[in-house]
Amino acid sequence: MALPRTLIDPKLIYLEPAVRDYSRGREVLARFPDAELVEVASHWKIPQLADPALAGDWLRVKREILVLGVKKGMAMRPNGRSADFIAPSSSNGCAMACAYCYVGRRKGYANPISVFVNIDDVTRALARHAAKLGPKPKPDTIDPRDWVYDLGENGDLSVDASLSDNVRDLVTAFRGMPNAKGSFATKYVNRDLLDYDPQGRTRIRFSLMPETIARVVDVRTSPMSERIAAINDFVAAGYEVHVNFSPVIVHEGWEAEWKALFAELEAALSPAARAQLKCEIIFLTHNDGLHDLNLRWHPRAEDWLWRPDIQEAKWSQSGMRNLRYKAAWKRQWLDRFLGWLDAALPFCEVRYAF
């Protein structure tokens, strides 16, 4: 799939010197022969991307800069919500620019895509880990049978698949793991993935929210109607397809918007898609740092995200000070949301909600 040039068209590639030692690195470089190449010691520490002035040039950085590196750590981090484990990433960063995304501050301003070229190390680590675990001892809300590995915690693999064969290699690897499956969330419809032959061993989670809000905060992503229309095709191609209602942004008029989305989804699904559909529900989490960054490049989004009148501070498990909806109100809002969902999509199991 050729990415729209407005989404990513690298003019500058930062790369670790070892990238050229890997066939995947050479393949990606060959795709962009006209890009300027700048060697860096580490894909994590690129001083040129840490300039605060880049906050005002957010979208250009995402469109025109690509980073290539070698993944060092291969640890599998326990998760327990969306997946059993967070897998070693094959990339980080994203060409899309969702205003609520926490990843933007990890590498510098805008956080363009970094592709890791040692994908064979990642797939071997996954296979070893799954083999050591053996069969899953009992069903749980993550999966009734398999260990599940989240493959895209810090990026969107549907976009990554347009830059390299890393995602194809991951899908292929999970076909050979009888007790494990891969999983990733996406906001981008890449129909090239329909040819990957996942054989039920890869779960795709399409993120959904009302289009009215998405037009402001889901910057550079596929339209909601396109994501919904893709579900049946991905199920038919052998993927397990779930949906993420995420993030749920509370505002005046949200009930009508979510009910309309549920109705659109219900009308679109094939019998096969309905039979396997499950969902995750994630209410908005925000923070002061991201608020300040958004004010530099997309202040309009903060009209939806920054609501100190209904938000309160809460420390996350990773030690970050976040803003979440006030606990007593959020419980009521979640109950309402679950009621609307059950009325519209009673066949859709809620895997977890928070």
Side-chain angles (χ1 to χ4, degrees):
M1 177 180 185
L3 277 169
R5 296 174 69 87
T6 54
L7 188 61
I8 183 166
D9 182 23
K11 309 292 186 187
L12 172 61
I13 298 176
Y14 293 107
L15 70 156
E16 295 176 345
V19 161
R20 294 187 178 90
D21 297 334
Y22 293 85
S23 60
R24 183 57 36 83
R26 296 190 294 271
E27 290 169 11
V28 176
L29 290 173
R31 288 199 59 188
F32 305 106
D34 298 327
E36 178 186 359
L37 305 183
V38 176
E39 290 193 358
V40 292
S42 169
H43 64 86
W44 274 120
K45 298 177 181 179
I46 303 176
Q48 298 92 319
L49 294 180
D51 183 354
L54 290 178
D57 212 6
W58 200 267
L59 300 185
R60 183 194 64 79
V61 171
K62 284 184 170 292
R63 183 177 62 251
E64 297 185 0
I65 294 177
L66 178 65
V67 180
L68 301 180
V70 178
K71 178 70 175 176
K72 307 303 191 294
M74 294 293 159
M76 310 285 166
R77 292 180 10 243
N79 179 247
R81 282 182 170 170
S82 187
D84 292 291
F85 300 96
I86 305 297
S89 56
S90 59
S91 69
N92 67 51
C94 190
M96 295 180 285
C98 299
Y100 47 82
C101 181
Y102 64 90
V103 179
R105 296 172 295 118
R106 292 289 183 87
K107 186 183 351 172
Y109 292 89
N111 198 29
I113 294 177
S114 292
V115 173
F116 299 134
V117 299
N118 55 327
I119 187 64
D120 291 342
D121 293 337
V122 174
T123 57
R124 283 193 291 264
L126 284 163
R128 287 194 301 269
H129 191 268
K132 185 176 181 179
L133 287 174
K136 195 169 195 176
K138 61 182 180 179
D140 58 23
T141 58
I142 296 170
D143 193 87
R145 189 175 71 88
D146 295 315
W147 300 105
V148 178
Y149 294 82
D150 193 305
L151 307 175
E153 181 188 31
N154 293 320
D156 192 306
L157 269 62
S158 294
V159 177
D160 295 347
S162 302
L163 294 170
S164 80
D165 281 338
N166 278 1
V167 181
R168 183 187 290 273
D169 290 346
L170 287 165
V171 172
T172 299
F174 277 100
R175 288 204 304 261
M177 300 183 207
N179 65 328
K181 66 177 59 167
S183 177
F184 64 92
T186 185
K187 302 181 182 76
Y188 188 78
V189 177
N190 182 346
R191 290 185 170 270
D192 283 356
L193 273 65
L194 295 173
D195 297 328
Y196 285 10
D197 189 25
Q199 300 179 14
R201 312 308 302 161
T202 296
R203 173 187 296 169
I204 291 183
R205 294 143 30 225
F206 282 103
S207 295
L208 303 177
M209 68 167 63
E211 189 67 43
T212 301
I213 304 175
R215 282 197 293 266
V216 179
V217 301
D218 257 21
V219 181
R220 311 178 92 217
T221 64
S222 295
M224 219 55 54
S225 58
E226 187 177 344
R227 300 183 210 178
I228 291 172
I231 292 174
N232 293 342
D233 294 335
F234 276 79
V235 170
Y239 289 95
E240 181 182 30
V241 181
H242 292 181
V243 292
N244 287 357
F245 299 119
S246 168
V248 177
I249 298 173
V250 178
H251 66 99
E252 295 72 12
W254 70 308
E255 177 176 355
E257 293 176 355
W258 278 102
K259 285 183 175 180
L261 176 68
F262 294 154
E264 181 182 358
L265 183 59
E266 195 279 334
L269 294 175
S270 67
R274 288 167 181 259
Q276 56 87 70
L277 188 71
K278 297 181 182 180
C279 74
E280 302 171 7
I281 301 169
I282 306 170
F283 274 64
L284 173 70
T285 298
H286 201 31
N287 61 60
D288 295 331
L290 186 55
H291 170 65
D292 292 340
L293 278 182
N294 284 345
L295 290 177
R296 302 188 193 187
W297 78 275
H298 190 25
R300 185 181 168 210
E302 290 304 296
D303 294 339
W304 298 94
L305 306 178
W306 185 256
R307 290 291 305 270
D309 56 323
I310 59 175
Q311 292 168 329
E312 62 185 2
K314 184 176 181 180
W315 292 96
S316 71
Q317 293 177 346
S318 60
M320 292 184 63
R321 182 183 182 276
N322 292 326
L323 290 174
R324 298 180 180 176
Y325 294 123
K326 293 180 179 180
W329 294 355
K330 180 182 174 182
R331 180 67 258 177
Q332 296 179 46
W333 292 333
L334 176 56
D335 288 342
R336 288 186 206 172
F337 190 95
L338 291 169
W340 305 334
L341 176 63
D342 184 61
L345 302 167
F347 51 86
C348 181
E349 177 184 333
V350 178
R351 289 190 39 253
Y352 77 91
F354 75 96

